[in-house]
Amino acid sequence: MIKIWTDGSCLGNPGSGGWAFVVMDGTKVTEQSGGEPYTTNNRMELMAVLRALSAIQNYEVEIHTDSQYVKNGMQIWLKNWKKNNWRTADKKPVKNQDLWQALDERASKFKINWVWVRGHSGEPMNERVDELARMAATKAK
């Protein structure tokens, strides 16, 4: 099983943003990050997971995220959004629909175990992706 840690960061919200992931496949570790000059934290959280899943081929993955937005979106809200033509429970358009749709399609190719990690709690890999995402956000200014 591949283990993935993801994080998004934004300097201001909206503002300069960064995303990052770390993939552990046995003893092989891959890190990647990137940024955008004007975005939101939630978009960067989604982008981190989307980019991570786009970088791997293995079927079974464990994704560690400190974003309840991403975890709940994928596990709880997505089904109803699709059923309701990408509208929320209060009939408003789903924010970040483009990324949710891309993530939904890519995630469908994997068996994913979602693991929520409390942010800034000292978990080493979560701290690492946080650092990478912040650096990417700073460079994206």
Side-chain angles (χ1 to χ4, degrees):
M1 176 187 297
I2 291 179
K3 293 187 178 188
I4 299 172
W5 284 262
T6 66
D7 201 14
S9 181
C10 215
L11 308 177
N13 198 20
S16 174
W19 55 265
F21 66 81
V22 173
V23 175
M24 293 184 76
D25 186 0
T27 58
K28 182 181 174 194
V29 177
T30 304
E31 295 182 345
Q32 191 172 10
S33 62
E36 296 181 16
Y38 190 76
T39 188
T40 65
N41 189 70
N42 282 342
R43 285 190 70 82
M44 294 295 91
E45 294 282 1
L46 287 165
M47 186 66 76
V49 178
L50 181 58
R51 292 293 182 106
L53 290 177
S54 296
I56 63 169
Q57 300 300 318
N58 197 328
Y59 172 72
E60 192 169 352
V61 297
E62 185 174 270
I63 298 177
H64 300 251
T65 179
D66 62 9
S67 173
Q68 290 282 355
Y69 176 69
V70 171
K71 184 178 180 298
N72 289 341
M74 291 302 292
Q75 291 189 302
I76 301 168
W77 308 326
L78 188 64
K79 181 180 175 184
N80 284 333
W81 289 341
K82 289 164 50 174
K83 186 173 75 176
N84 295 327
N85 199 27
W86 293 97
R87 299 276 173 184
T88 62
D90 59 358
K91 309 290 186 227
K92 294 181 181 172
V94 171
K95 291 180 181 177
N96 304 310
Q97 179 181 338
D98 59 330
L99 293 178
W100 283 114
Q101 287 174 319
L103 182 55
D104 179 40
E105 188 202 329
R106 185 65 186 158
S108 71
K109 297 170 177 26
F110 298 90
K111 179 180 178 193
I112 300 175
N113 179 33
W114 293 93
V115 179
W116 182 73
V117 178
R118 182 173 300 282
H120 309 288
S121 63
E123 199 281 336
M125 296 308 289
N126 185 254
E127 296 297 333
R128 178 62 182 152
V129 289
D130 178 70
E131 176 185 25
L132 292 169
R134 287 175 184 269
M135 287 190 308
T138 300
K139 289 179 185 175
K141 277 186 168 184

